[in-house]
Amino acid sequence: MKVQRLPNSKTKMAFAAIIMKKAFHLASGQLSNSPQGICNVRMSGEELMSRLLDRKWALTSPDSKIHQIKLFTATEKHGGGPLGGISFLNNTCPFLGDDMIMRDEDRCFYVVRDDLLHPLVNGNKARKMDALLPLLEDHIVTDLVTCGGCQSAHATAVAVSCAERGLKSHLLLRGEQPQILTGYNLISTIYGKVTYVPRTHYAHRIEMLKSYANLVAGNNSDVVWCNEIFEASLTAQKSRASCLGQMDAHKGIDNCRKKVLIVNEGAGDAVALLGVFRLLQYLSQDHLLGRKRAIKFVVDAGTGTTAVGLGLGAICLGLPWEVTAIALADTIDGYKQQEKNLISEFKRLFGFLLKNSSLNEVDGEIVHWVERCRPRKFGNVFEGEIEACHRIAQLTGILVDPVYTLAAWEMATLLSDEKLKQDADVVMLHTGGTLGMFGLAQRYKSSFHSLKDGAFPSNR
């Protein structure tokens, strides 16, 4: 009988090293025949999400507090609108996970408190820049150019985030400088360099951003777009230590070569989706919202990027979650087109990971876009809505603003009534927006005047 020789210890170690090396190359796609270097094995949703999220982040943790809002019939009518006859109670330590078993008589919805992420940066803005900000260091960006309205939360988020990292921000704001600086406009001016742009010039955003970025860069500097450095990061990762060393070498030198980055209005780029994915992965843990419960996720929509991120992330992880977004700054058709554009851009950037993935078959219709309870031109505030924000703050300790987050609160309240029929929990993402109250107090003085009396009239 032929005796099989067993390998000695050195042979075993060498063999193990070869196996580990092959496994590493297989995982990284280096043994694949595909031009992108990715194997043809179909990844699970969790594996795909892990690959997408394997990067550096601006936020130390994706965590967010979750509160439960219980609804009751108000003892007296408080104005008109969907909230006039409803009272609220905030449970700051609700049962989550397997304990989220609601009795038929319960009326409630949950609030993800992303408004608490940063005192000056809106929660949705912090999520959008979660994956972007580390790239600024990796690619030695010195200046960032972006644009927005006079009271732009996006501009403020960029200005504050750049200042915290020693970068210069250049903010092109639409219209004329207000007589009194307040709200987001004030914070943007304090933290960044603000330039007011006539509305006729602002209408051509791409040309405006390019022109100003070239002016900031000068003759011997580079100008790049957000998605360009993101694409570069997918093919050539630099070590954090070397990048930080290069950044430190540039800081404090006025005559150094600049690298100017252009970020679109509202940070509505594909890179912004990743921070929302990260939040979704956190929320879908078993001890929080879990992955089996049917959930109606509600969010207010500016650019619509956050809503699309929630929808894509839910599909990737196979979550039975339906995303409802309240259209505030565009038409329903406009948001549907933006949804298609973002998905297309995402698939173009991450196509090498999406082979055989269910996401590769998605083209749109992942978000349920709806009109506000009381539709209006963007930025307008109706009678009684300041009062509603006032009541919510006093009853729950949660501040919503009448332009954005009150719309999501109203929709979550309405869906909570329907929840009993559809057997799904309602979750509202609180995106922030509270600094906007200062600007609104300047515009709608009469609506805020009654606060001086210490109470709103019960009927209007």
Side-chain angles (χ1 to χ4, degrees):
M1 183 174 76
K2 186 175 180 179
V3 178
Q4 183 178 5
R5 266 184 85 181
L6 295 176
N8 58 30
S9 59
K10 290 185 178 180
T11 305
K12 288 181 179 179
M13 292 177 64
F15 182 73
I18 292 172
I19 295 298
M20 292 179 65
K21 186 175 182 180
K22 286 185 176 181
F24 171 78
H25 288 320
L26 181 62
S28 60
Q30 295 180 23
L31 296 183
S32 171
N33 294 325
S34 64
Q36 296 89 352
I38 298 298
C39 64
N40 291 322
V41 177
R42 183 184 181 95
M43 286 187 288
S44 69
E46 293 183 13
E47 290 172 327
L48 175 59
M49 185 64 77
S50 295
R51 293 289 294 272
L52 291 170
L53 302 185
D54 184 18
R55 61 187 64 252
K56 291 179 287 186
W57 300 98
L59 295 173
T60 305
S61 167
D63 296 14
S64 189
K65 294 182 181 297
I66 302 176
H67 292 177
Q68 181 191 46
I69 306 300
K70 295 186 177 182
L71 283 62
F72 305 93
T73 302
T75 55
E76 61 181 49
K77 186 76 172 178
H78 293 273
L83 305 182
I86 300 175
S87 186
F88 304 96
L89 177 65
N90 185 7
N91 177 10
T92 59
C93 298
F95 291 110
L96 299 172
D98 292 337
D99 295 323
M100 290 175 63
I101 300 175
M102 304 301 301
R103 296 188 300 273
D104 289 342
E105 65 270 18
D106 289 332
R107 294 176 60 200
C108 75
F109 61 89
Y110 296 84
V111 179
V112 178
R113 298 296 307 276
D114 263 15
D115 57 313
L116 302 178
L117 289 181
H118 191 286
L120 298 175
V121 178
N122 279 15
N124 62 322
K125 308 304 180 186
R127 298 292 181 186
K128 287 181 179 181
M129 296 192 292
D130 199 7
L132 173 62
L133 291 174
L135 297 181
L136 305 186
E137 296 177 341
D138 287 353
H139 293 268
I140 322 174
V141 171
T142 60
D143 297 73
L144 194 150
V145 176
T146 192
C147 63
C150 185
Q151 288 287 350
S152 170
H154 162 68
T156 294
V158 167
V160 172
S161 299
C162 285
E164 289 176 342
R165 290 159 178 79
L167 308 176
K168 295 180 180 179
S169 62
H170 306 265
L171 316 172
L172 307 180
L173 302 186
R174 180 181 63 250
E176 302 76 29
Q177 179 176 340
Q179 185 176 2
I180 301 176
L181 304 185
T182 185
Y184 290 112
N185 182 263
L186 173 61
I187 301 301
S188 295
T189 304
I190 290 175
Y191 281 84
K193 181 181 179 181
V194 169
T195 299
Y196 294 91
V197 180
R199 286 172 170 78
T200 53
H201 187 36
Y202 191 92
H204 307 284
R205 290 168 178 75
I206 302 300
E207 293 79 2
M208 174 191 71
L209 287 168
K210 283 182 181 177
S211 176
Y212 194 86
N214 287 326
L215 184 63
V216 172
N219 296 325
N220 298 316
S221 298
D222 300 322
V223 174
V224 294
W225 288 82
C226 175
N227 275 345
E228 290 176 343
I229 67 167
F230 185 44
E231 290 183 66
S233 73
L234 297 176
T235 56
Q237 293 288 345
K238 299 179 181 179
S239 69
R240 184 170 178 80
S242 64
C243 288
L244 287 177
Q246 294 177 52
M247 283 293 293
D248 290 340
H250 282 76
K251 288 179 182 178
I253 303 177
D254 292 334
N255 295 323
C256 71
R257 182 181 177 87
K258 292 181 179 180
K259 189 165 189 177
V260 183
L261 176 70
I262 300 175
V263 176
N264 283 322
E265 183 178 30
D269 299 290
V271 63
L273 300 174
L274 297 179
V276 185
F277 288 179
R278 191 184 182 209
L279 169 64
L280 209 66
Q281 186 186 56
Y282 164 76
L283 293 175
S284 63
Q285 294 179 93
D286 290 340
H287 69 286
L288 296 176
L289 301 182
R291 301 192 176 191
K292 297 179 181 179
R293 300 185 64 82
I295 287 178
K296 289 184 175 292
F297 223 102
V298 180
V299 63
D300 50 274
T303 63
T305 307
T306 300
V308 174
L310 291 171
L312 276 177
I315 292 174
C316 182
L317 291 174
L319 303 175
W321 296 8
E322 176 186 297
V323 180
T324 297
I326 301 89
L328 301 177
D330 202 348
T331 63
I332 299 294
D333 288 340
Y335 278 113
K336 287 182 177 180
Q337 185 58 52
Q338 170 67 352
E339 178 183 352
K340 288 180 178 292
N341 294 342
L342 274 173
I343 293 173
S344 175
E345 182 68 7
F346 174 79
K347 289 163 67 174
R348 184 184 69 81
L349 291 171
F350 291 101
F352 65 96
L353 284 176
L354 301 181
K355 190 175 182 65
N356 298 322
S357 168
S358 59
L359 286 183
N360 209 30
E361 303 169 1
V362 176
D363 292 317
E365 298 185 359
I366 62 174
V367 176
H368 181 45
W369 304 100
V370 298
E371 293 282 1
R372 191 169 186 173
C373 295
R374 291 189 287 175
R376 81 288 303 272
K377 184 179 178 181
F378 177 69
N380 285 0
V381 175
F382 285 173
E383 185 179 14
E385 292 181 338
I386 303 299
E387 176 186 2
C389 295
H390 180 212
R391 289 185 59 243
I392 292 169
Q394 290 193 332
L395 293 172
T396 68
I398 298 176
L399 183 58
V400 296
D401 76 288
V403 174
Y404 284 102
T405 48
L406 177 61
W409 189 284
E410 290 174 341
M411 184 59 62
T413 300
L414 291 176
L415 291 178
S416 295
D417 283 336
E418 298 177 2
K419 181 193 76 64
L420 303 179
K421 301 176 183 179
Q422 300 188 14
D423 193 27
D425 289 303
V426 178
V427 178
M428 168 192 163
L429 177 60
H430 194 325
T431 55
T434 51
L435 271 178
M437 293 290 277
F438 295 90
L440 292 173
Q442 185 181 23
R443 286 179 56 199
Y444 297 94
K445 295 180 182 179
S446 59
S447 298
F448 285 83
H449 183 75
S450 54
L451 286 172
K452 295 179 181 180
D453 302 327
F456 280 94
S458 58
N459 292 291
R460 293 204 173 203

